[in-house]
Amino acid sequence: EVNNKAFPAPPANKLSRARTNSIGRGSMEPDPSKSPTGGSSSLIFLGTGCSGTLPDARCLLKPSTPPCAVCSMGISLPPEGNPNYRLNTSLLVDYCHDDGTHRYILIDIGKTFREQVLRWFVHHKVPYVDSIILTHEHADAVLGLDDVWVVQPRNDRNDVEQIPIFLTQFTMDSIARRFPYLVEQRPEDGDEDAQAAKIDWKIVQDDVEKPFVASALEFVPLPVMHGEGYICLGFLFGRRARVAYLSDVSRFLPKTKHAISKSGAGQVDLLILEANSLHGVGDSFSTHLTLSESLDAIKRIHPKRALLIGMRHFFEHERENQMLAEWSIREEIPTQLAHDGLRVFIDI
């Protein structure tokens, strides 16, 4: 079980009450045993860190003076009880259909996927993945593809079933160069014991007006800049409660901002947005948002609430969440850092 004492709630005020209110019909309770019903959809944060993950090995191999507190904590506390232990950013959508059946949709499958399976699939009793969606082709979003066969569903004869993977043509071209055996659906050369993943590659467009359906749930692509000249996808999904997920952003494009803004197409129930650096503002060479830029974006978009992901080792979970608790009260938008293993019950 997750040690909930490691994730203290903010002071007893308007924000702490807001954290236990529902999103749709769900709640922001991290403990999977606190599900409102057995038939609830939820979002499981498999990873909330940057590409390098935390603890940063450089801080441990060549400690600074004083040592990096966040990374030092990474080896002094077990990951299950340490919100500063962060794997590659990834989200699992546990979508409960109207008939009560569950479908598991994975957004990004990065370098730390195997650890995420062992740690959080097992903890949350996730048996397999029904479909995968990729935001872009960087290592922290795709290098776990080599292990995709481990989480593929099986039929009554124990045969691996085909899994759809949704991605842009640009990402597909990159994967074909790096994982030719996955595209050709054969085991990697020289590995006689490996199983060939059965994958149905599905090309999607980086266009908010061209949604697609994964495991019976509609996703609207949200193209954003991830450094000038490079487009990354976020996604808007949910039939009841609307969720916007944006993991790698340096600049919002007008159509995307309109699609998720209260002043545009309508207020989203939950905005999941990256905040990569704690201080400063980005420049024309930046590939990520800083905390101040993320908070400015949250004010402009004005969701009902927001969770931040993609944090580097400058962010100490409890300290920053205390600051965000005060910001949330002031701006009247409940906002906190997410953490690995967090499960948010939400009626999508």
Side-chain angles (χ1 to χ4, degrees):
E1 291 295 323
V2 172
N3 177 8
N4 290 325
K5 293 180 180 179
F7 312 120
N13 52 31
K14 179 161 56 177
L15 177 68
S16 62
R17 291 194 298 272
R19 288 191 68 196
T20 57
N21 290 339
S22 63
I23 308 177
R25 298 174 189 171
S27 71
M28 294 187 69
E29 171 58 58
D31 186 345
S33 66
K34 303 291 181 63
S35 169
T37 69
S40 296
S41 296
S42 64
L43 309 175
I44 301 174
F45 290 77
L46 301 177
T48 58
C50 56
S51 179
T53 74
L54 295 182
D56 188 325
R58 294 169 297 182
C59 292
L60 304 177
L61 295 173
K62 296 182 178 180
S64 58
T65 305
C68 172
V70 171
C71 292
S72 298
M73 205 179 298
I75 57 172
S76 63
L77 292 174
E80 294 83 356
N82 181 7
N84 291 305
Y85 188 96
R86 304 182 186 121
L87 302 176
N88 288 155
T89 296
S90 179
L91 185 73
L92 185 72
V93 181
D94 174 3
Y95 176 44
C96 182
H97 289 217
D98 292 337
D99 63 2
T101 60
H102 286 253
R103 294 292 180 267
Y104 301 98
I105 306 162
L106 178 67
I107 302 180
D108 283 343
I109 179 168
K111 297 178 288 183
T112 56
F113 179 64
R114 183 177 182 276
E115 182 177 355
Q116 290 165 331
V117 170
L118 295 175
R119 192 172 305 288
W120 300 121
F121 276 57
V122 173
H123 175 78
H124 291 296
K125 298 179 173 58
V126 177
Y128 48 77
V129 170
D130 291 283
S131 54
I132 297 172
I133 303 172
L134 300 179
T135 59
H136 63 312
E137 45 81 52
H138 286 173
D140 58 338
V142 305
L143 282 196
L145 282 170
D146 191 58
D147 287 319
V148 70
W149 63 275
V150 175
V151 296
Q152 288 189 246
R154 294 176 177 268
N155 59 27
D156 295 336
R157 299 186 301 277
N158 203 34
D159 296 325
V160 173
E161 295 186 348
Q162 194 174 54
I163 187 170
I165 297 183
F166 299 83
L167 70 174
T168 64
Q169 186 63 57
F170 180 81
T171 299
M172 180 77 251
D173 293 342
S174 175
I175 286 173
R177 292 190 297 270
R178 295 147 87 182
F179 297 99
Y181 58 94
L182 288 180
V183 177
E184 297 167 14
Q185 301 195 33
R186 59 176 172 81
E188 189 174 8
D189 293 340
D191 192 349
E192 297 178 356
D193 296 326
Q195 299 185 41
K198 295 181 179 178
I199 299 171
D200 181 13
W201 303 97
K202 293 184 174 293
I203 302 302
V204 301
Q205 305 300 315
D206 53 1
D207 188 339
V208 297
E209 297 178 0
K210 294 182 179 179
F212 60 93
V213 176
S215 300
L217 182 61
E218 183 178 87
F219 288 79
V220 176
L222 299 173
V224 293
M225 302 311 298
H226 181 23
E228 288 307 305
Y230 188 96
I231 291 179
C232 178
L233 292 185
F235 301 100
L236 176 66
F237 59 92
R239 293 183 299 140
R240 299 184 179 93
R242 299 169 70 235
V243 179
Y245 179 82
L246 295 156
S247 60
D248 293 86
V249 190
S250 60
R251 180 169 62 83
F252 287 88
L253 297 177
K255 283 189 176 181
T256 290
K257 184 179 176 183
H258 179 270
I260 61 176
S261 296
K262 183 178 181 181
S263 61
Q267 187 177 39
V268 297
D269 294 273
L270 174 62
L271 172 64
I272 302 169
L273 180 64
E274 77 147 353
N276 187 253
S277 297
L278 184 58
H279 302 293
V281 254
D283 54 28
S284 59
F285 299 101
S286 298
T287 56
H288 296 279
L289 296 177
T290 66
L291 177 61
S292 63
E293 291 172 324
S294 297
L295 294 179
D296 285 344
I298 290 169
K299 287 195 290 186
R300 293 194 304 270
I301 295 167
H302 210 283
K304 290 183 181 177
R305 64 185 63 200
L307 287 168
L308 298 176
I309 58 174
M311 292 80 66
R312 297 168 66 191
H313 63 168
F314 309 112
F315 291 79
E316 199 289 308
H317 186 85
E318 294 184 15
R319 180 188 66 204
E320 265 56 77
N321 267 349
Q322 288 296 324
M323 179 276 293
L324 287 171
E326 298 172 3
W327 183 93
S328 300
I329 295 168
R330 187 168 63 250
E331 302 297 337
E332 299 186 336
I333 307 173
T335 299
Q336 292 276 273
L337 302 184
H339 60 78
D340 289 22
L342 173 66
R343 190 171 198 167
V344 176
F345 289 96
I346 179 168
D347 186 11
I348 54 175

